[in-house]
Amino acid sequence: MSLLEVSDVRKYFPIKSGIFFQREVGRVHAVDGVSLSVEAGETLGVVGESGCGKSTLARCMTGLHEVTSGTIAFDGDVRRDVQMVFQDPYGSLNPRRRIGSIIADPLVIHREGTPSSRRGRVRDLMALVGLNPEHYNRFPAEFSGGQRQRVGIARALALNPRLVVCDEPVSALDVSIQAQVVNLLKDLQTELGLTYVFIAHDLSVVRYVSDRVAVMYLGKIVEIAPGEELYERPRHPYTAALLSAASVADPDRPRDRVVLRGDVPSPISPPSGCRFHPRCPKAQERCRVEEPLLLGDGHKWACHFPLEPGERLRSAEVGR
Amino acid sequence: MWRFLIRRIVFGVVVLWLVATTVFLLFFAGPADNVARRLAGPRAPIEVVEQIKDTLGLDRPLFTQYLGFLGDLLRGDLGTSFISQTPVSTLILQSLPGTLWLVFGAAVLWMLMGVGGGVLSATKPRSLRDRTLTVLVLAGISLPTFVLGILMIYLALSVFPGTGLQPGPYISPFIDVGAFLSTMVMPWICLAVVQAAVYVRLTRGSMLDTMGEDYIRTARAKGVPERSVTYRHGLRAALTPVITQFGVDVGTLLGGVVVTESVFGLQGIGQLMIRSVRDGDLPVIIGAAILAAAFIVLANILVDVAYSFLDPRVRLA
Amino acid sequence: MSLTDAAFEAEPVHAEVVHGKGPWQLAWERLRRDKAAVISMAVIVLVALLALLAPLFALITGHDPLTQYPETALTPEGLPVGPGADFWLGADSLGRDLFVRLAYGARISLLVGLSATLLATVFGVVVGLLAGYYGGWVDGVLARVLDVVLSFPYLLVAIVLVAAVGASVALTIFVIAFFSFAAMARVVRGQTIGYREREFTEAVRSLGASPLRIMVIDVLPNLVAPVTVLASLLIPTSIVFEATLSFLGLGVDPRTPSWGAILADSTDFYRVAPGLLVFPAVLLLLTTLAFNLLGDGIRDALDPKR
């Protein structure tokens, strides 16, 4: 059995209006039918533009959001064995509490150990993530962004979790610090045998840490494949567009950037058929009507007219 | 817009109904004899108590009394004063001009002082001028109205008796302008000073927020003169919360400027109320309280409507 | 930097503990550098001493606050004597000792100011936290009710209540506490709504922390700053309000020495004995000004960005 099995999960947020008794006037389809599995010991990367539902998916996995429908099966206690590393190193640490007590929170809430054994554990954790254990009495404001993210990682590791969901763990950090934190996460994985779900919008970071990568668009997974495969042979036009938009550190590669037309449609009333069709250079009539399924073996994609391996999105199509 | 207005009016009526009901229960709930005794006061002779019980029909079931009370209110019948035996509505109408003159006169003054002070303070934040004004504002906020009032009377009567200013009952300006002014100037200043302190603070804060906005920087960048930036671009947007506060304050004060009227012996709604409480003149207290509540509710509705015209970002759904 | 940083492994764990300066400590240091706030604190301490030591002053002067001393306190013409060795600040029109009465008046002012603020703070924080954290229709109704309550003036409600149930210290405290409660609950509710969605509350919620623990351990410490500032500004408001009610004869029993009542007594006599007006007025003004200045100082100290 996989460590985590997500089956057809949907998460809709009601939009309410009214003064006394709120009526529901619409729904945001943040996550709309996502299925995937995470195997023990691997890193699953999830990429997509902001607003595609990847953070909501992460919050469903950690039990922060109750799913609207579908199931999330986890081999273990979700509250205990799934931990989260948050995006904002400033917002995720309570400014009025000392970092020692912040890191000890998981132990306290799960009634683990005595106050003195917790203190020892906190010091060990701080050393493990590269913080000076003597600083446990300090406040978050006395740390830099990178150090705060280490605090967040130490907190996530306190209970020896089986799965760590990292929600854009480095996107708020300086580029120079990003590498340190990403390497720390990779080293910790080797040392402790962790499993990660790694969410980011930065394709190069995801590529660096992930064994497999899932691409999300408007609440759905449009393509999922082992890392190299996805980056070398994208089949879904959206994946190809994302990849071409990312900066490429290879001067020999032709720089044909595909610029997507228009904005991401509203998740309140997503387009019919394939959700990508209003912006897709390859869209045809069928895409407007029939929703493509996520099919394939190992490398799955949801597209009626996928790119052939090696095919590039043509600029002519893009300019249409 | 109309739907919003109707909803606000319905809500206002509900609030008024709740106020009337609360007031009714406060005074009339309980055994008839106790209620009558409470209304008559502890030293009133038993005949008076019995008379009150009869005239008000306190023997009837509470709900019947309540319906009668609401019915009278809806017909605009506020009852008759125990003390002077005049209709409450007449007493209120007699007291209203004093309060109206006091509020509107003071309003002009406090807006001039408050908004002026706020602008002076905000255009040079942290300067000596700003800090002086801040201290003055703090003093104004700390100074109880009645203390300011009696200090003013003391100064006018004992220290500078030549000014001709004196405390006293309201005299209509259409009868004697001189007497009107000599009694009104001190209450105007007293009320205005206390109010102005709040308005300086409000204007300053609002101005500072506005002057930090991008469009102000844009205006400066494109070469709009500083005066024009301050007054045409800044002040206009900054005044929205000030005007909101102004509407609410005027509405509240029209229900009786209790302290100022009492200190200066100006016979307005506020003093009518205080006198009635001392005399135990129940119908007058109830009438004045409901009138005050009506002013407050009305002012809040008007402010909400005005808000939609002042701030284009607010769309009333 | 790798995770097995040699420097840390070599470092003995029992090295001297590094204590960070907490936000409270920093705020206190800033407050201590604020001259106006320090002077205000001194004034408040003096007023508190005046209140605490009131019976002592009565003992020293031999003057009870309620007793009239017509032989010593009034001149042959029947006018109150001025300040002197016997009556430190003079006597009032009935021949009572003004200083002793003012000292006892400080007790009423501080009692009303502090107890009303304390009540309002406790209830306001609890209700605001619950409403803000749980939200829903209860919160919607509550927010609306607080709006309506706050749109009515204190004084109008106090007048109607006094007319209905009679004046007393308890009623005064209740009215002030009720209105201050509304202001406090509104502020706390708004702040709580903001903190409920912050990532650090999500972090503990994902661990299965109970709502009570989140409200008390994770949200409450962040509310201390706004609550302290508001509470410190509610105290002078309450003191002024009590004095106003007493001045109008709607507060404490008129014989009780309260600053407002003392000022009301003075109105007919200050032309002959200005001290009757000036001393209580200055005392009241100094007290409220000190509390207001201290409140401003606390706000600046807690939020230096402003």
Side-chain angles (χ1 to χ4, degrees):
Chain A
M1 183 194 162
S2 308
L3 181 61
L4 181 76
E5 192 80 50
V6 174
S7 322
D8 199 28
V9 159
R10 284 160 215 273
K11 176 67 191 176
Y12 300 155
F13 293 102
I15 304 165
K16 288 178 177 168
S17 158
I19 308 166
F20 278 121
F21 301 100
Q22 307 208 312
R23 299 165 284 133
E24 188 175 313
V25 294
R27 292 172 138 200
V28 177
H29 300 66
V31 175
D32 206 359
V34 164
S35 299
L36 55 81
S37 63
V38 182
E39 306 300 327
E42 76 163 343
T43 298
L44 173 71
V46 179
V47 292
E49 292 164 288
S50 46
C52 73
K54 52 193 194 301
S55 277
T56 305
L57 181 62
R59 280 166 168 70
C60 290
M61 288 176 177
T62 53
L64 270 174
H65 288 332
E66 261 174 55
V67 299
T68 308
S69 71
T71 55
I72 295 181
F74 177 72
D75 183 18
D77 173 4
V78 174
R79 295 274 180 228
R80 201 195 150 85
D81 298 326
V82 180
Q83 294 294 321
M84 188 156 177
V85 175
F86 291 88
Q87 170 177 13
D88 179 2
Y90 293 86
S92 62
L93 304 180
N94 194 330
R96 296 286 175 198
R97 299 183 55 211
R98 294 173 197 274
I99 61 156
S101 68
I102 292 176
I103 296 174
D105 267 347
L107 303 168
V108 174
I109 291 168
H110 285 276
R111 301 203 169 83
E112 195 104 323
T114 61
S116 73
S117 78
R118 281 183 210 140
R119 225 167 1 247
R121 173 80 176 132
V122 167
R123 284 159 171 265
D124 292 347
L125 285 164
M126 289 180 69
L128 183 68
V129 298
L131 291 167
N132 184 341
E134 303 309 326
H135 292 168
Y136 74 95
N137 247 326
R138 295 197 171 180
F139 285 88
E142 298 171 74
F143 291 87
S144 68
Q147 286 174 317
R148 288 176 192 218
Q149 207 54 310
R150 286 170 196 264
V151 174
I153 293 168
R155 168 174 61 188
L157 296 179
L159 289 167
N160 290 317
R162 305 180 62 184
L163 174 66
V164 178
V165 177
C166 306
D167 181 16
E168 305 239 19
V170 297
S171 62
L173 303 175
D174 287 351
V175 179
S176 57
I177 311 292
Q178 286 189 0
Q180 291 180 12
V181 173
V182 167
N183 282 331
L184 172 68
L185 285 169
K186 279 197 96 162
D187 291 344
L188 288 168
Q189 182 169 41
T190 322
E191 182 152 316
L192 305 172
L194 294 169
T195 308
Y196 288 138
V197 169
F198 195 99
I199 291 166
H201 61 259
D202 183 333
L203 290 155
S204 55
V205 171
V206 169
R207 181 181 199 172
Y208 179 63
V209 297
S210 306
D211 301 303
R212 287 189 304 138
V213 176
V215 180
M216 278 187 81
Y217 184 77
L218 268 183
K220 284 189 170 296
I221 290 184
V222 295
E223 186 162 12
I224 181 166
E228 281 307 299
E229 168 78 9
L230 185 102
Y231 281 81
E232 293 304 321
R233 282 176 288 281
R235 305 300 297 270
H236 198 287
Y238 178 65
T239 312
L242 267 189
L243 287 173
S244 78
S247 54
V248 180
D250 181 359
D252 295 335
R253 251 172 100 159
R255 293 183 58 88
D256 49 350
R257 299 184 60 164
V258 182
V259 181
L260 291 173
R261 291 173 298 151
D263 290 322
V264 181
S266 161
I268 298 170
S269 47
S272 62
C274 174
R275 290 183 177 194
F276 187 53
H277 84 254
R279 301 172 77 196
C280 181
K282 295 185 64 129
Q284 298 187 21
E285 189 52 37
R286 186 182 169 195
C287 305
R288 220 181 306 279
V289 208
E290 190 187 332
E291 187 169 342
L293 299 173
L294 185 65
L295 295 173
D297 193 21
H299 187 168
K300 302 182 184 181
W301 58 87
C303 184
H304 296 304
F305 307 103
L307 297 163
E308 290 310 313
E311 180 188 347
R312 276 201 217 96
L313 278 185
R314 298 216 341 255
S315 298
E317 289 171 327
V318 174
R320 202 173 55 153
Chain B
M1 178 69 213
W2 287 111
R3 269 190 58 197
F4 168 81
L5 197 61
I6 288 165
R7 232 172 41 201
R8 284 299 276 118
I9 290 171
V10 169
F11 184 71
V13 171
V14 170
V15 169
L16 278 181
W17 170 67
L18 286 174
V19 168
T21 307
T22 312
V23 168
F24 173 81
L25 288 176
L26 267 177
F27 288 107
F28 292 101
D33 288 326
N34 295 6
V35 174
R37 170 52 73 187
R38 203 164 66 212
L39 299 181
R43 276 182 293 273
I46 188 76
E47 301 83 59
V48 175
V49 176
E50 286 301 319
Q51 192 203 334
I52 286 177
K53 208 162 82 179
D54 279 353
T55 40
L56 293 180
L58 297 175
D59 282 328
R60 293 175 297 163
L62 191 66
F63 194 68
T64 318
Q65 293 183 49
Y66 177 58
L67 289 184
F69 172 78
L70 284 188
D72 285 349
L73 267 189
L74 285 177
R75 269 182 271 117
D77 178 4
L78 296 173
T80 308
S81 161
F82 287 170
I83 308 292
S84 61
Q85 302 298 328
T86 18
V88 173
S89 42
T90 311
L91 286 175
I92 288 179
L93 282 178
Q94 281 170 358
S95 308
L96 205 51
T99 300
L100 286 177
W101 276 112
L102 172 58
V103 171
F104 287 112
V108 174
L109 276 180
W110 94 57
M111 282 303 265
L112 285 175
M113 293 194 282
V115 174
V119 171
L120 283 180
S121 215
T123 42
K124 276 197 184 153
R126 285 171 208 282
S127 64
L128 182 65
R129 187 167 85 188
D130 178 28
R131 274 180 290 149
T132 314
L133 276 162
T134 307
V135 171
L136 283 177
V137 164
L138 212 60
I141 284 175
S142 305
L143 188 67
T145 316
F146 74 92
V147 174
L148 176 65
I150 48 185
L151 283 174
M152 284 174 71
I153 296 175
Y154 173 63
L155 290 178
L157 295 185
S158 304
V159 186
F160 307 106
T163 55
L165 300 178
Q166 54 185 346
Y170 162 77
I171 296 160
S172 166
F174 305 111
I175 294 171
D176 184 346
V177 183
F180 169 77
L181 287 178
S182 74
T183 49
M184 275 309 215
V185 167
M186 281 200 294
W188 276 339
I189 296 175
C190 178
L191 180 58
V193 163
V194 173
Q195 290 283 339
V198 179
Y199 281 75
V200 172
R201 217 176 228 194
L202 192 63
T203 310
R204 177 180 185 272
S206 177
M207 267 300 264
L208 284 179
D209 284 352
T210 315
M211 297 304 275
E213 301 257 0
D214 283 344
Y215 72 91
I216 294 290
R217 215 171 316 147
T218 310
R220 283 203 181 117
K222 71 183 185 192
V224 177
E226 192 57 38
R227 271 186 81 86
S228 179
V229 170
T230 306
Y231 293 100
R232 303 244 336 244
H233 294 74
L235 186 58
R236 222 157 103 181
L239 275 184
T240 310
V242 176
I243 289 175
T244 308
Q245 181 74 32
F246 180 75
V248 173
D249 279 352
V250 167
T252 306
L253 290 172
L254 285 181
V257 197
V258 178
V259 178
T260 312
E261 290 175 13
S262 297
V263 172
F264 292 98
L266 190 89
Q267 282 164 7
I269 304 277
Q271 219 208 351
L272 177 70
M273 236 189 226
I274 290 290
R275 219 174 39 221
S276 310
V277 173
R278 289 203 192 117
D279 298 347
D281 198 350
L282 180 77
V284 183
I285 302 169
I286 294 179
I290 287 172
L291 176 82
F295 275 129
I296 292 167
V297 166
L298 186 67
N300 274 290
I301 294 174
L302 289 179
V303 160
D304 279 356
V305 173
Y307 204 63
S308 67
F309 290 109
L310 285 170
D311 192 335
R313 282 169 303 188
V314 179
R315 287 271 169 273
L316 302 176
Chain C
M1 192 191 283
S2 89
L3 76 145
T4 51
D5 193 314
F8 293 146
E9 284 191 337
E11 213 172 357
V13 187
H14 52 77
E16 194 196 347
V17 176
V18 182
H19 271 277
K21 275 186 185 169
W24 305 126
Q25 216 175 333
L26 289 171
W28 172 241
E29 283 175 15
R30 277 193 291 266
L31 192 62
R32 266 193 340 205
R33 281 198 300 271
D34 182 347
K35 274 196 210 106
V38 172
I39 296 173
S40 301
M41 279 189 271
V43 170
I44 291 166
V45 167
L46 285 179
V47 173
L49 280 177
L50 186 67
L52 282 174
L53 301 179
L56 183 69
F57 294 129
L59 203 68
I60 296 173
T61 56
H63 294 148
D64 181 81
L66 298 179
T67 313
Q68 306 176 4
Y69 302 92
E71 292 81 20
T72 45
L74 300 178
T75 60
E77 297 83 43
L79 293 174
V81 297
D86 196 12
F87 290 85
W88 297 353
L89 293 182
D92 72 3
S93 56
L94 294 177
R96 293 172 296 194
D97 187 319
L98 182 59
F99 179 77
V100 173
R101 284 177 69 75
L102 286 178
Y104 275 92
R107 299 186 139 202
I108 302 272
S109 285
L110 291 183
L111 171 78
V112 172
L114 295 177
S115 56
T117 303
L118 188 71
L119 272 176
T121 305
V122 170
F123 284 102
V125 166
V126 170
V127 171
L129 261 180
L130 289 172
Y133 187 82
Y134 284 106
W137 69 270
V138 176
D139 176 46
V141 171
L142 186 85
R144 208 73 186 149
V145 168
L146 293 183
D147 281 349
V148 172
V149 167
L150 286 172
S151 73
F152 284 94
Y154 280 39
L155 208 50
L156 178 67
V157 177
I159 288 172
V160 172
L161 283 175
V162 166
V165 304
S168 66
V169 179
L171 180 73
T172 308
I173 293 178
F174 170 78
V175 173
I176 301 174
F178 186 68
F179 278 89
S180 310
F181 151 82
M184 183 65 80
R186 189 148 76 165
V187 167
V188 170
R189 171 182 169 273
Q191 296 269 332
T192 306
I193 288 173
Y195 284 115
R196 184 182 62 192
E197 304 302 330
R198 293 284 287 272
E199 283 191 339
F200 64 76
T201 38
E202 287 198 313
V204 281
R205 198 172 336 137
S206 78
L207 288 160
S210 68
L212 183 67
R213 129 124 210 174
I214 297 178
M215 280 187 266
V216 174
I217 295 185
D218 301 300
V219 176
L220 200 55
N222 290 286
L223 301 182
V224 174
V227 167
T228 311
V229 170
L230 184 57
S232 65
L233 296 173
L234 285 176
I235 294 173
T237 315
S238 309
I239 291 178
V240 167
F241 187 66
E242 186 278 324
T244 304
L245 275 186
S246 298
F247 174 77
L248 294 172
L250 307 176
V252 298
D253 184 309
R255 281 163 304 168
T256 319
S258 137
W259 292 348
I262 294 172
L263 278 162
D265 286 344
S266 79
T267 47
D268 296 330
F269 288 90
Y270 52 68
R271 295 178 75 173
V272 284
L276 278 181
L277 166 66
V278 173
F279 292 125
V282 167
L283 193 55
L284 178 56
L285 185 59
L286 268 185
T287 309
T288 53
L289 193 61
F291 273 111
N292 272 324
L293 275 172
L294 182 62
D296 272 16
I298 291 175
R299 182 176 52 207
D300 292 345
L302 288 172
D303 186 5
K305 288 182 295 281
R306 278 173 64 104

